[in-house]
Amino acid sequence: MRRTALLASAALLTTLLPLTAAPASAADAPAPTPVDRFEGEVPFAGPPAEGIFTWGSDTDDPPALELTARDDAPEGEKVLAGTYDISGYGGFTHGFAFAEPAHDWSAHKGIRLWWDGQDNGKKIAFELRDGGANGEASELWTTSFTDDFTGWKQIELPFTDFTYRTDYQPVGGIDHILGLTETWGYAVTLPVGINGRFAMDGVELYGKADQSLKASVLTDSAVHPTDEGDTATTKLTVATTGSTPLDEPVTVTYETTGGTADPGRDYTPVTGTVTFPAGTASGTTREIRVPTLQDRSAEPAETIPLKLTVTGAKPPTETPQIVVDAHGLPYLDSRLPVRKRVADLLARLSLDEKAGQMTQAERGALTASGDIATYALGSLLSGGGSTPTPNTAEAWAKMIDGFQLRAQATRFQIPLIYGVDAVHGHNNLVGATIMPHNIGLGASRDPRLAYRAGAVTAAETRATGVPWDFAPCLCVTRDDRWGRAYESFGEDPALVDAMETVIQGLQGRADGRDLDRGDKVLATAKHFVADGGTEFGSSTTGTYTIDQGVTKVTRQQLEAVHLAPYKTAVDRGVGTVMPSFSSLDLVGDGKGPVKMHARADMINGVLKDRMGFDGFVISDWQAIDQIPGDYASDVRTSVNAGLDMIMVPYAYKDFHATLTDEVRAGRISERRIDDAVSRILTQKFRLGLFEKPYADTGGAGRIGSAAHRAVARQAAAQSQVLLKNTDGLLPLKKSQKVYVAGSNADDIGNQSGGWTITWQGSSGDITPGTTILEAMRENSTRLTYSKDASAPTGGHDVGVVVVGETPYAEGFGDVGNGHDLRLSPADEAAVDKVCGAMKCAVLVVSGRPQLIDDESLAGIDALVASWLPGTEGDGVADVLYGKRPFTGQLPVTWPKSEAQLPINVGDASYDPRFPYGWGLTTLTKVPGGGAATLRALGIAAEAAERAGADQAGRALVTKARLVVQRKAADTGITEAVAGPFAEADHLLLTGRYGAAVERLTAAYRAA
């Protein structure tokens, strides 16, 4: 799912209202105060010093800046000039020094600057940093102007035009008042999607402030739901800059007017005036009461706007509304069956309201929170990294409750369903328990553990007010070059199928009866179908090489490899399914590559009709835009193909209008719309959202708890795959003097991977947890750490080098898009130095196998595939030091070279470095007897299979595997060994225990 809050931030900024011309300054206005003359008095430097610095969403997005001498400079001799070509977001900041006092701009009316217009019609966002401890802990306030002119023009930006940023704040909001007594500088966000240049000059403060800048009237809420017959209360608060008393009186005249409620029948009209006299303390509150009347008839919700006219202060940004709750209608009766509630509500909805239910927007892209009611939106999401500030459980719940409150202003008060990508724990939340990624869970081969991981994820996610998780990924990864290979449980559909117990961990029982619990979430099976089979080089998305590309398969291959996990998911009652960005090219069907979001034969035909899926289908991020044709065609094609809700993060208004137009024109049938909305409403009722739309934070205290982290610790331990262990080097002993090196030994961000706090993830101390190094220190009495292995190596008993990848997510992580499958030069140097000086173990922390040549492998005594273990490094230490045995098995084939890719179990030519299913063990006695033992195990395995004794059958095959591995580890893994060995693990997962031992026996003979 390609999404990021930072992209949403840029999108929001570019939609702000254009500048309106400001009147001339009053005669007694203070003289203009220069901020930037761009003559060199302010250096190019970043915090904590004062200076001008650039920023952007990736390395290409920060603009190039220089001070340029120009004869036409409006002020002085030089101007600030630059060029830019921004794909995500980018701009520059003049930040004031952290060590110096903030600047007081409160005496002025606004800020102005000279801009060299290019007449490109683009909006330029201008942002102030206000209040707080420093520029990085201040509130952000923003406005914009439009570059629709040529040549130099002085742009005036009155402070009254600046609005508080709701899409992103570095802090949770200090007082939500543009105080201006503690200003830390300004920032300019440049337009996206053009190759442009700019020049600016003469930034200065102008004009005289008035009390309407210093004082504001705030309301406690924009929406006040109330039961029929009760009295609603709206609170008005006067707030001033610096919390000083009012200089002059502030009056608020109010009246109930307009809306859908009838005065005298539904409520008693009120009018009046509230006065805050001069000298009133900031923070003083007054109340306005509006009595509603009871008429005993069943009705939808009705609104009563409370019009406020403010004199002497800045008015509230919105007119508050009293909402008399819907009552007496059958769909509100929780005693009725869900299908009857759905039918009743559906029959009452207008086309516009139905279209709203089918629309999902990114929370940061809302141009106004009131749009939730205006467009009757059915859903919001947080894309990767789209988080409230501060990023706490409490702030999440408060944010989502605020959105749900807006939905209460609609006729039928249909609650939103809020979704996030909690793909390995509630990974957007700082402090959440971060599980190993799916590739590690697949290595555990433990369906019960997958269930427990899902249950912890669900509990922590729902406790923040989020009832919907865009997980699990049921992709069957077939090429390690894919940038999201780690989101898969493995390359074998049988392994993916076995790990789908995670769905019950997330949702509870298959019939949906547990979904209304405070520790369960709606799950999403993604990405339907065959996203793991895309061919290298087939992607047409940006610089991606494989993600969102084309999967070319026969129908038999599609059924056997890629579709099988979805049938299991449907049988397990998964609530939603998300199609893939990729295209499917079915050999022989004559269609060629077709985007999955357009494949009615697969979504309607296979998923809904043949498999009997009764949940709803949600699109991926802006994915319908990739369907060939104009926007109306994209909407029509995707909805007719079977999509029920469309993720249109920024284009929710356009989608809503286009969808209704297509229905009215007859190109989408009303029956199709009713089917989609029925499916969506069914899940909302099952989740209990109509009865409990707001966050149940009762479980918030267990987020990141010791009990939850214990599950993640166990998962990390069981995910470790021991690939090589010469002379039993592992487990380590506490008494050994250990030398630890490598880039991933002490980095919580690297060991957690992508989709951690932000979309692509990042290195460093990004969330609480225990690094592998920290965990090893708890187990070792003598340990030396040197990241780059520069510390002396002498005198140590054993070395542990923790190497691997840095975080990435979909597309950006594709091999050939800035990534490869080799260790970094620094990691290779650390391995060479440490392993050349002592016996050593190398841990590879990565989302996919890393290439290790024969020479390097020969110098390594023990090799561990650690995958991406998450925040609980103790789990890794547990197996390193023998508190738990190594039991993990390879969920994917480990290749010898990139030229072998793609390589998978069952291939006709199969000669890997380590085969699928390989995994040495410790603390376990390997049976002796060789071929004779295998014969006995085979006979017993066949008997267990006939008797349906699965637990016994699996145990017998495991013993046989250990016998074969011991011999192959000594003699070498040849092609003749690898093929039957890998096939045996597939047979084990499909319950064919006798055949599995037979293939292991063949591998043993070959060894």
Side-chain angles (χ1 to χ4, degrees):
M1 193 172 300
R2 181 166 53 95
R3 42 185 165 267
T4 169
L6 297 174
L7 299 183
S9 301
L12 178 62
L13 289 173
T14 58
T15 60
L16 295 171
L17 293 174
L19 172 69
T20 55
S25 301
D28 60 348
T33 300
V35 177
D36 263 330
R37 300 180 64 245
F38 301 119
E39 299 299 310
E41 75 282 7
V42 178
F44 290 108
E50 178 172 13
I52 299 169
F53 60 93
T54 62
W55 37 265
S57 54
D58 57 38
T59 56
D60 297 328
D61 282 351
L65 302 182
E66 62 179 356
L67 298 178
T68 303
R70 283 179 52 163
D71 293 338
D72 64 345
E75 195 279 333
E77 298 179 354
K78 297 179 180 178
V79 302
L80 178 69
T83 58
Y84 59 92
D85 184 6
I86 302 168
S87 59
Y89 68 92
F92 59 91
T93 294
H94 176 182
F96 301 146
F98 286 6
E100 301 294 330
H103 295 209
D104 186 347
W105 290 2
S106 62
H108 293 273
K109 179 179 183 177
I111 189 168
R112 63 190 180 195
L113 59 112
W114 287 92
W115 189 266
D116 186 15
Q118 305 300 308
D119 197 21
N120 56 30
K122 298 290 186 178
K123 294 186 185 301
I124 292 88
F126 194 94
E127 182 175 273
L128 301 180
R129 299 176 168 199
D130 179 71
N134 53 55
E136 298 303 304
S138 58
E139 289 185 339
L140 304 183
W141 292 75
T142 187
T143 189
S144 68
F145 62 92
T146 302
D147 186 342
D148 56 2
F149 53 91
T150 56
W152 289 106
K153 178 180 178 180
Q154 191 172 44
I155 306 295
E156 293 193 344
L157 306 171
F159 291 135
T160 51
D161 283 0
F162 283 80
T163 58
Y164 179 81
R165 278 188 64 174
T166 57
D167 60 320
Y168 171 74
Q169 285 286 339
V171 294
I174 299 161
D175 54 14
H176 294 247
I177 299 169
L178 181 58
L180 298 172
T181 56
E182 293 180 309
T183 305
W184 296 96
Y186 66 86
V188 174
T189 300
L190 294 164
V192 176
I194 63 170
N195 192 332
R197 63 182 178 88
F198 78 95
M200 64 183 289
D201 199 11
V203 183
E204 64 183 14
L205 308 176
Y206 75 96
K208 178 184 178 182
D210 56 32
Q211 181 169 285
S212 65
L213 173 63
K214 296 181 181 179
S216 300
V217 172
L218 312 173
T219 59
D220 57 330
S221 178
V223 179
H224 297 79
T226 187
D227 289 337
E228 185 187 47
D230 288 352
T231 296
T233 301
T234 297
K235 295 181 179 180
L236 304 179
T237 301
V238 65
T240 62
T241 298
S243 298
T244 58
L246 290 178
D247 294 335
E248 302 171 15
V250 172
T251 60
V252 182
T253 301
Y254 61 87
E255 64 174 318
T256 48
T257 180
T260 59
D262 292 332
R265 179 174 176 268
D266 295 313
Y267 69 97
T268 301
V270 297
T271 60
T273 300
V274 173
T275 300
F276 297 94
T280 298
S282 179
T284 299
T285 296
R286 300 282 187 267
E287 293 183 349
I288 300 173
R289 297 179 180 273
V290 180
T292 68
L293 303 175
Q294 196 165 32
D295 59 13
R296 288 189 169 84
S297 60
E299 294 174 305
E302 297 168 312
T303 57
I304 311 167
L306 186 62
K307 181 181 178 182
L308 304 176
T309 303
V310 178
T311 303
K314 192 173 182 178
T317 55
E318 291 184 72
T319 298
Q321 292 188 87
I322 311 300
V323 179
V324 182
D325 288 338
H327 53 277
L329 301 173
Y331 79 89
L332 296 170
D333 187 351
S334 61
R335 298 168 299 180
L336 292 176
V338 167
R339 60 181 177 78
K340 288 189 175 181
R341 299 178 74 182
V342 169
D344 177 72
L345 179 52
L346 183 69
R348 300 177 187 279
L349 298 179
S350 67
L351 175 59
D352 282 348
E353 288 166 328
K354 292 173 184 177
Q357 286 302 299
M358 296 174 65
T359 307
Q360 184 184 63
E362 217 288 336
R363 62 110 197 173
L366 290 174
T367 53
S369 295
D371 283 354
I372 292 171
T374 301
Y375 296 93
L377 295 180
S379 181
L380 293 179
L381 82 149
S382 278
S386 177
T387 64
T389 306
N391 189 354
T392 63
E394 181 182 10
W396 273 91
K398 183 178 179 180
M399 174 185 74
I400 294 170
D401 282 356
F403 293 139
Q404 289 288 18
L405 184 63
R406 295 290 185 157
Q408 295 299 298
T410 59
R411 276 203 309 162
F412 299 106
Q413 299 181 304
I414 303 174
L416 295 165
I417 179 170
Y418 199 98
V420 299
D421 289 271
V423 299
H424 62 138
H426 192 2
N427 44 256
N428 286 296
L429 172 65
V430 171
T433 305
I434 304 300
M435 299 287 170
H437 270 292
N438 283 353
I439 197 77
L441 290 179
S444 79
R445 294 297 200 282
D446 188 345
R448 292 171 298 180
L449 182 61
Y451 171 88
R452 295 175 66 200
V456 169
T457 299
E460 296 198 2
T461 302
R462 192 69 180 258
T464 61
V466 179
W468 185 14
D469 184 3
F470 304 128
C473 184
L474 302 184
C475 48
V476 181
T477 180
R478 306 293 283 179
D479 192 327
D480 297 328
R481 293 169 292 188
W482 189 30
R484 60 193 317 168
Y486 62 77
E487 292 187 52
S488 172
F489 291 113
E491 70 186 37
D492 183 356
L495 176 57
V496 176
D497 187 90
M499 304 305 286
E500 289 187 49
T501 50
V502 68
I503 293 172
Q504 263 57 66
L506 292 167
Q507 289 195 170
R509 285 169 288 189
D511 60 5
R513 73 177 75 177
D514 297 327
L515 282 171
D516 61 350
R517 285 172 34 179
D519 62 350
K520 294 300 174 190
V521 294
L522 196 68
T524 306
K526 65 182 188 183
H527 303 88
F528 186 83
V529 60
D531 54 331
T534 48
E535 294 182 356
F536 187 80
S538 66
S539 181
T540 57
T541 301
T543 55
Y544 297 4
T545 59
I546 188 167
D547 191 42
Q548 304 184 21
V550 179
T551 299
K552 187 173 183 178
V553 289
T554 65
R555 186 168 292 278
Q556 182 180 9
Q557 290 170 329
L558 178 70
E559 295 281 350
V561 177
H562 299 289
L563 270 174
Y566 289 93
K567 179 62 170 71
T568 300
V570 171
D571 291 344
R572 286 185 174 276
V574 73
T576 60
V577 170
M578 180 182 291
S580 174
F581 277 116
S582 59
S583 299
L584 177 63
D585 185 355
L586 267 179
V587 176
D589 74 350
K591 296 179 180 179
V594 179
K595 283 289 182 182
M596 273 306 309
H597 282 70
R599 292 213 67 136
D601 60 328
M602 300 305 300
I603 299 171
N604 283 329
V606 174
L607 178 64
K608 290 183 174 180
D609 294 341
R610 195 183 87 191
M611 293 184 180
F613 174 62
D614 63 359
F616 70 88
V617 178
I618 170 70
S619 88
D620 210 330
W621 178 273
Q622 280 185 310
I624 68 168
D625 294 356
Q626 296 188 13
I627 299 173
D630 59 21
Y631 193 66
S633 173
D634 295 345
V635 172
R636 178 172 65 251
T637 300
S638 60
V639 173
N640 284 334
L643 270 73
D644 302 307
M645 182 183 287
I646 313 295
M647 189 185 294
V648 280
Y650 310 126
Y652 61 95
K653 296 177 184 178
D654 290 341
F655 171 76
H656 188 278
T658 304
L659 178 59
T660 54
D661 287 347
E662 289 296 297
V663 175
R664 291 187 177 108
R667 290 184 287 268
I668 300 175
S669 71
E670 292 191 28
R671 182 178 179 182
R672 170 77 269 269
I673 298 299
D674 286 352
D675 172 61
V677 177
S678 293
R679 290 169 176 269
I680 294 164
L681 293 177
T682 296
Q683 300 301 348
K684 290 187 176 185
F685 279 118
R686 286 177 174 172
L687 285 162
L689 295 177
F690 282 83
E691 288 70 46
K692 296 180 180 179
Y694 303 115
D696 178 357
T697 58
R702 294 189 291 276
I703 294 174
S705 66
H708 286 181
R709 290 185 183 275
V711 176
R713 179 175 182 168
Q714 179 183 347
Q718 291 186 216
S719 72
Q720 303 299 294
V721 181
L722 184 57
L723 300 173
K724 180 181 179 181
N725 194 24
T726 304
D727 297 328
L729 179 65
L730 298 178
L732 303 174
K733 300 176 180 64
K734 278 196 172 187
S735 59
Q736 288 176 306
K737 189 174 184 181
V738 183
Y739 187 100
V740 182
S743 62
N744 285 348
D746 194 31
D747 195 306
I748 204 75
N750 286 359
Q751 74 185 45
S752 297
W755 289 106
T756 308
I757 311 306
T758 58
W759 175 36
Q760 293 288 321
S762 59
S763 301
D765 190 18
I766 60 174
T767 191
T770 303
T771 67
I772 295 171
L773 174 67
E774 290 167 341
M776 291 183 67
R777 288 192 193 279
E778 293 296 316
N779 289 271
S780 177
T781 56
R782 298 185 296 167
L783 186 149
T784 299
Y785 171 60
S786 176
K787 180 177 180 179
D788 60 357
S790 60
T793 56
H796 294 85
D797 299 313
V798 62
V800 176
V801 192
V802 189
V803 296
E805 297 183 307
T806 54
Y808 55 80
E810 56 195 283
F812 289 97
D814 287 353
V815 167
N817 191 22
H819 292 268
D820 57 38
L821 297 178
R822 302 207 65 90
L823 299 179
S824 70
D827 275 348
E828 286 185 340
V831 170
D832 290 345
K833 183 173 182 181
V834 176
C835 294
M838 66 193 82
K839 290 187 175 183
C840 74
V842 173
L843 276 61
V844 181
V845 174
S846 65
R848 53 197 170 193
Q850 302 293 282
L851 300 175
I852 300 172
D853 59 34
D854 293 338
E855 183 179 356
S856 296
L857 184 61
I860 296 170
D861 298 285
L863 179 64
V864 179
S866 287
W867 307 113
L868 298 169
T871 54
E872 306 315 298
D874 283 313
V876 181
D878 285 344
V879 292
L880 285 180
Y881 282 90
K883 291 181 178 179
R884 289 178 177 271
F886 276 95
T887 57
Q889 296 175 245
L890 283 181
V892 293
T893 300
W894 198 286
K896 289 180 178 178
S897 69
E898 190 171 335
Q900 289 184 315
L901 298 176
I903 183 171
N904 295 286
V905 56
D907 287 354
S909 176
Y910 189 75
D911 186 22
R913 176 74 63 202
F914 299 102
Y916 168 79
W918 183 267
L920 304 175
T921 190
T922 55
L923 309 182
T924 303
K925 185 177 180 180
V926 178
T933 298
L934 288 173
R935 281 195 297 273
L937 289 170
I939 293 169
E942 288 180 354
E945 183 179 336
R946 288 194 299 271
D950 292 331
Q951 185 173 353
R954 287 191 292 267
L956 292 164
V957 177
T958 297
K959 286 183 179 181
R961 179 175 61 83
L962 296 180
V963 171
V964 176
Q965 282 185 157
R966 181 170 60 182
K967 184 178 181 183
D970 293 335
T971 61
I973 303 171
T974 64
E975 183 173 3
V977 171
F981 184 95
E983 292 163 14
D985 201 62
H986 170 75
L987 292 166
L988 166 64
L989 288 164
T990 56
R992 299 165 64 188
Y993 309 123
V997 176
E998 185 276 324
R999 298 308 290 149
L1000 286 169
T1001 302
Y1004 183 85
R1005 293 193 188 103

